[in-house]
Amino acid sequence: MFASLNASQQSRSELTSIQNGKFKNPIEVFISNKLVPDHVSDAFFINNDQSVLVIERAFNIINDGKWVVEIDDLVSIRELSFTRWKISSRKRAIII
């Protein structure tokens, strides 16, 4: 049984897909706030094969994982790993 949601329980967003390296067929959707993690404030959704990915437009932390990237004007979803590094102010060297 479906229950209707009032405006305070849902947010407006966009659902799109990637075809031939381009975003295609974006549609406006209303998503229950319970389906999106609390820390995600500005997101859109990509229909990817048999799943829907939540994509954050803004972020403060860069972690390993799936990212939407644009390379040579082609959009794709890639698994990326980031090397951890720190700059030492005393020696002015990059420590890997």
Side-chain angles (χ1 to χ4, degrees), residues 2-14:
F2 293 99
S4 63
L5 299 173
N6 63 38
S8 65
Q9 296 174 311
Q10 59 187 340
S11 57
R12 180 183 300 182
S13 192
E14 182 179 277

Side-chain angles (χ1 to χ4, degrees), residues 53-89:
L53 304 173
V54 179
I55 309 298
E56 293 182 75
R57 293 185 208 275
F59 50 87
N60 294 325
I61 299 172
I62 297 175
N63 288 321
D64 296 348
K66 290 185 178 183
W67 287 78
V68 176
V69 296
E70 183 178 34
I71 300 171
D72 295 333
D73 295 325
L74 296 175
V75 177
S76 63
I77 299 170
R78 303 276 177 106
E79 185 78 29
L80 299 180
S81 297
F82 297 91
T83 302
R84 307 285 187 238
W85 55 275
K86 173 174 113 176
I87 297 177
S88 171
S89 58

Side-chain angles (χ1 to χ4, degrees), residues 5 9 11 30-38 40 45 54:
L5 299 173
Q9 296 174 311
S11 57
F30 291 89
I31 302 292
S32 168
N33 292 334
K34 293 179 181 182
L35 296 175
V36 180
D38 291 337
V40 176
F45 302 89
V54 179

